[in-house]
């Protein structure tokens, strides 16, 4: 496959193209084809932006009809029929059945736009300037989102100082023994702690880019209680974990919490088209008209496909099949963890948002390369890139899931047979041909 043109003309900043050096042409469901006709199972799904698979006909067909019939495509934030239909179905199929009540803000189309709007609103609402964020958080690439992100690799990006962020340990950081929720409660209640009262606490229920670390229901409930106690706005960044990824529509449903603000993007359009929303507790919606505005806030094609996606959640069969797929995936991963305990330290994540924490990042790199060679797209995450990120479409067929897992199994097997892990355990040394 000729990738020379990209190397010659596309900026050095390109990333995924380097990771998967071929040229893709077509895709359907969990399968993606390159120019040479080779097919791959997609466990990356646009980094969580294609939870419903590629070209899902239930989602795309209404979009194609919409496109072909002279409808409005871009509308700023004017009222359109497509937007009204989306709001209606989002309220009826997603919010109401979950007992949730939110106003909907349409920010710019990307995830980081939603987080910026959420942080700005929280600061306006409370009149405070600091926000609290967590170790290994990832919230996007604009300055406000970068400021609350934890990763050292992006900390200095942009070349301006990041003020007004209080960094706290996430659940089980640095280890299970430390309870960061009670620590936060303590420092906020202690006038001598030196920690100022934040406008907001922003978190992901599962830190995808941070290494698939998942927060427990108890910890999340504690954080919500602390927010209520001190009048702090509780923001859940559900950009990657939401829109069905964990098996529920929102990633926080299992914890029975009700955040003040929820940010959604990535898979929200269901089709890979950019769309983001900010869900705001109604009494916090203190924006003045036009106070937060911008151009691409009326992507009507995305409204149409997002509406079709939301409707799927009213279908009991669909929900049951997502649940079953999540259980299947977890069982597959449990077997891999047991079989390759010399390579894999632990399974991470929840539902269909899973990760395999490996003992070395070199193993992850080789598994990625072998898997790609054999027809599986899979990525790594975590500050040391030692976590295999397993994100199949939540609509994946059993056959595609089995094939993807078989390729992953084969790639791990090659590492277990042929190569000594860089930090060998005693059993590795016994089995390693040195
Ligand atoms: C991807 C992501 C973002 C940023 O979304 P963009 O559309 O890339 O700006 C923010 N938060 C989380 C948790 C994400 O996974």
């Amino acid at each position: 496959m000729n990738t020379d043109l990209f190397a010659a003309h596309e900026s050095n900043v390109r990333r995924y193209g380097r990771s998967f050096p071929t040229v893709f042409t077509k895709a359907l469901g969990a399968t993606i084809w390159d120019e040479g006709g080779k097919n791959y199972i997609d466990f990356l799904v646009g980094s969580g932006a294609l939870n419903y698979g590629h070209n899902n006909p239930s989602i795309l067909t209404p979009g194609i009809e919409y496109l072909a019939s002279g409808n409005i495509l871009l509308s700023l934030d004017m009222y359109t029929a497509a937007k009204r239909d989306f709001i209606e179905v989002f309220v009826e199929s997603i919010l109401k059945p979950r007992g949730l009540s939110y106003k909907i803000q349409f920010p710019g189309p990307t995830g980081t736009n939603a987080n910026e709007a959420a942080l700005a609103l929280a600061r306006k609402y409370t009149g405070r300037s600091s926000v609290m964020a967590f170790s290994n958080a990832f919230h996007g690439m604009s300055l406000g989102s970068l400021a609350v992100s934890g990763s050292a690799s992006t900390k200095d990006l942009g070349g301006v100082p990041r003020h007004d962020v209080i960094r706290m340990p996430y659940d089980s950081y640095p280890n299970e023994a430390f309870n960061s929720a009670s620590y936060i409660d303590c420092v906020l209640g202690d006038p001598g702690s030196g920690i100022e009262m934040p406008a907001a606490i922003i978190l992901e229920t599962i830190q995808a880019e941070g290494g698939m670390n998942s927060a427990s229901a108890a910890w999340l409930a504690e954080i919500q209680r602390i927010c209520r106690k001190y009048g702090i706005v509780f923001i859940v960044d559900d950009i990657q974990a939401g829109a069905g990824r964990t098996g529920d529509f929102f990633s926080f449903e299992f914890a029975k919490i009700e955040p003040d603000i929820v940010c959604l993007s990535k898979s929200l359009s269901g089709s890979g088209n950019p769309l983001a929303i900010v869900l705001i507790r109604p009494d916090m919606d203190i924006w003045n008209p036009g106070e937060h505005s911008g151009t691409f806030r009326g992507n009507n094609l995305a409204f149409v496909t997002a509406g079709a996606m939301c409707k799927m959640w009213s279908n009991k069969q669909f929900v049951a099949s997502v649940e079953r797929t999540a259980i299947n995936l977890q069982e597959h991963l449990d077997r891999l963890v047991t079989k390759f305990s010399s390579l894999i330290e632990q399974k991470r994540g929840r539902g269909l948002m899973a990760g395999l924490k490996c003992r070395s990042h070199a193993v992850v790199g080789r598994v990625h390369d072998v898997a790609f060679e054999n027809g599986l797209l899979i990525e790594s995450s975590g500050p040391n890139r030692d976590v295999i990120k397993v994100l199949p479409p939540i609509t994946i067929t059993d056959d595609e899931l089995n094939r993807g897992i078989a390729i992953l199994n084969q790639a791990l097997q090659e590492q277990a047979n042929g190569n000594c892990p860089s930090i060998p355990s005693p059993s590795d040394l016994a089995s390693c041909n040195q």
Side-chain angles (χ1 to χ4, degrees), residues 64 73 85 202 215 224 252 267 323 335 418 431:
I64 292 167
L73 275 181
D85 291 349
I202 183 168
Q224 173 164 287
F252 52 81
S267 280
E323 251 167 49
R335 280 193 288 273
S431 67

Side-chain angles (χ1 to χ4, degrees), residues 112-268:
T112 199
N113 295 141
N115 283 338
E116 294 283 352
L119 293 168
L121 182 61
R123 287 178 161 124
K124 176 176 158 103
Y125 182 80
T126 58
R128 303 173 188 158
S129 61
S130 286
V131 292
M132 190 175 279
F134 293 96
S135 51
N136 285 314
F138 178 77
H139 296 293
M141 286 278 149
S142 53
L143 285 182
S145 300
L146 281 169
V148 284
S149 295
S151 159
S153 65
T154 52
K155 205 167 64 66
D156 298 326
L157 194 68
V160 295
R162 310 286 154 67
H163 293 301
D164 293 332
V165 174
I166 304 161
R167 184 74 47 199
M168 282 290 162
Y170 192 66
D171 190 13
S172 302
Y173 184 98
N175 55 50
E176 302 276 337
F178 183 68
N179 182 345
S180 65
S182 50
Y183 174 70
I184 292 166
D185 195 3
C186 168
V187 297
L188 292 179
D190 176 6
S193 70
I195 305 278
E196 64 193 299
M197 200 56 79
I201 295 183
I202 183 168
L203 61 82
E204 304 146 90
T205 69
I206 301 174
Q207 299 182 313
E209 300 312 305
M212 309 306 277
N213 314 306
S214 51
S216 69
W219 187 81
L220 290 168
E222 264 304 283
I223 297 293
Q224 173 164 287
R225 188 189 62 76
I226 292 163
C227 286
R228 303 273 190 272
K229 178 171 166 189
Y230 297 104
I232 299 165
V233 178
F234 182 26
I235 304 173
V236 169
D237 171 349
D238 225 11
I239 289 163
Q240 190 160 166
R245 175 44 59 191
T246 62
D248 293 324
F249 185 84
F250 293 109
S251 72
F252 52 81
E253 290 175 42
F254 84 115
K256 306 201 162 41
I257 55 170
E258 198 174 330
D260 301 315
I261 297 183
V262 181
C263 296
L264 289 172
S265 184
K266 289 215 162 82
S267 280
L268 179 62

Side-chain angles (χ1 to χ4, degrees), residues 298-318:
N299 179 350
N300 286 265
L301 177 61
F303 293 148
V304 172
T305 55
M309 177 275 283
C310 291
K311 261 188 213 143
M312 291 164 73
W313 288 88
S314 302
N315 177 339
K316 288 199 173 64
Q317 254 173 312
F318 167 78

Side-chain angles (χ1 to χ4, degrees), residues 14 29 39 209 221 275 409:
R14 66 194 188 282
N39 69 74
E209 300 312 305
L275 178 66
N409 176 73

Side-chain angles (χ1 to χ4, degrees), residues 330-348 355-357 359 412:
Q330 290 292 328
E331 287 174 355
H332 278 303
L333 297 180
D334 285 335
R335 280 193 288 273
L336 292 179
V337 173
T338 307
K339 183 168 169 192
F340 300 109
S341 59
S342 65
L343 303 174
I344 304 169
E345 210 175 294
Q346 59 174 194
K347 183 181 73 168
R348 288 191 176 167
L356 296 172
K357 164 79 169 70
R359 296 186 190 278
L412 286 161

